[in-house]
Amino acid sequence: MLFSYYQSSFSQSYLEASFGLPNILWNNTGDFDVLRTEYRTGWDISLKAFKKTPQNIVYGVEVGVKRFGNRFQFDRMSYGLEPIYYFNFAPTIGYNLIIPNTRISFVPELGLSLGYTPLNDIVYNQDKIFQVFTKNIKDADGNIVTVPLYELTFSGMQTFENSFFMQIHPKIGFQYMLNEISTLTLNFKAYISMNNNLIQRDFSDIEFEGEHYQAVHSSSLTSTVISLGYVMRIGR
């Protein structure tokens, strides 16, 4: 007979490990919008301990670490930067909705996440990273010389509004039960920041071909994540 879920008159304890791919957005403003910060690649690793009551209420605590790659983009050239990462701690509560006579269920949840990043502020002082891209031209005497592809420098600062920050953490998980103690999950989750500009890059002076500009790149670190997970029942 096809079983559905292990039934008990007591609350059951579970442990879930998941790995996911996140996505975040950067807001680029100012009068030099051809210099941008863009999301590159990243990952999300989470570990969650939770209980499920006989009434299918699910409650627990998630801890995790998130890494977001990012880069400067100018024209057709990009320059990879030090990744941004933070740790999170999130109490959650939800409900386990079982599809009758199947091994499938889905679990909508809501949590409140406390994030922490140990990253420091960064100062950009006449940064010439785009001048490492070069081209060959002829000088006035007909000699081939190498010059920067872009005469671009910038000064400014990267700052974090606060090392600690709060995020609303909605999640919906689709679960397939392998046996009475093991389950596979496909999770769609988000971490919605309560601060608009948690990280900000304020470029007070951008010089390009003799002209001066200003720009601000910012992100709230709000992210969406698609993850795969494994759940194991560990007892009552």
Side-chain angles (χ1 to χ4, degrees):
M1 181 177 64
L2 180 68
F3 61 84
S4 55
Y5 277 77
Y6 181 84
Q7 299 295 321
S8 172
S9 58
F10 300 95
S11 295
Q12 298 292 312
S13 298
Y14 298 84
L15 193 64
E16 177 182 2
S18 64
F19 177 85
L21 300 177
N23 186 44
I24 64 169
L25 295 178
W26 283 86
N27 186 32
N28 301 277
T29 60
D31 56 8
F32 196 70
D33 58 4
V34 288
L35 175 63
R36 308 175 63 82
T37 296
E38 295 182 348
Y39 173 67
R40 198 172 184 182
T41 57
W43 45 257
D44 172 288
I45 298 175
S46 297
L47 185 66
K48 181 178 178 181
F50 64 95
K51 282 183 174 289
K52 183 173 67 176
T53 71
Q55 296 76 33
N56 287 319
I57 301 296
V58 178
Y59 62 95
V61 173
E62 173 193 283
V63 294
V65 58
K66 290 129 186 51
R67 177 192 183 276
F68 307 105
N70 63 120
R71 64 187 176 189
F72 285 144
Q73 183 77 35
F74 177 71
D75 195 25
R76 293 169 295 172
M77 298 296 177
S78 62
Y79 188 89
L81 302 172
E82 179 184 358
I84 297 164
Y85 62 91
Y86 72 87
F87 304 92
N88 79 288
F89 172 87
T92 63
I93 188 168
Y95 187 77
N96 186 59
L97 298 169
I98 302 172
I99 300 177
N101 301 316
T102 73
R103 303 185 186 190
I104 300 171
S105 70
F106 64 97
V107 185
E109 294 181 81
L110 185 64
L112 187 62
S113 177
L114 173 64
Y116 167 73
T117 178
L119 297 177
N120 297 318
D121 296 340
I122 299 175
V123 175
Y124 305 107
N125 185 19
Q126 289 296 302
D127 202 302
K128 296 178 172 60
I129 62 173
F130 283 98
Q131 293 194 21
V132 301
F133 302 104
T134 61
K135 62 182 177 179
N136 294 327
I137 63 171
K138 289 184 178 181
D139 63 13
D141 299 323
N143 300 313
I144 301 297
V145 295
T146 300
V147 298
L149 181 59
Y150 302 108
E151 288 287 353
L152 172 67
T153 61
F154 53 87
S155 298
M157 190 170 186
Q158 171 183 288
T159 58
F160 288 87
E161 182 177 283
N162 201 318
S163 294
F164 291 92
F165 51 93
M166 300 299 298
Q167 295 179 309
I168 299 172
H169 175 33
K171 170 186 172 184
I172 183 165
F174 295 88
Q175 300 187 346
Y176 180 81
M177 189 175 184
L178 299 174
N179 52 51
E180 291 185 351
I181 64 170
S182 299
T183 301
L184 296 179
T185 67
L186 174 63
N187 302 311
F188 299 87
K189 52 187 179 179
Y191 299 87
I192 304 170
S193 297
M194 298 182 183
N195 309 69
N196 289 330
N197 299 318
L198 282 172
I199 177 174
Q200 182 165 297
R201 292 173 178 150
D202 188 351
F203 303 108
S204 56
D205 182 32
I206 301 172
E207 184 175 354
F208 179 61
E209 296 183 346
E211 299 292 332
H212 292 267
Y213 306 89
Q214 294 181 333
V216 176
H217 302 171
S218 61
S219 177
S220 66
L221 297 186
T222 291
S223 63
T224 56
V225 182
I226 299 176
S227 69
L228 293 175
Y230 174 77
V231 177
M232 175 177 288
R233 182 166 59 86
I234 57 176
R236 296 178 180 177

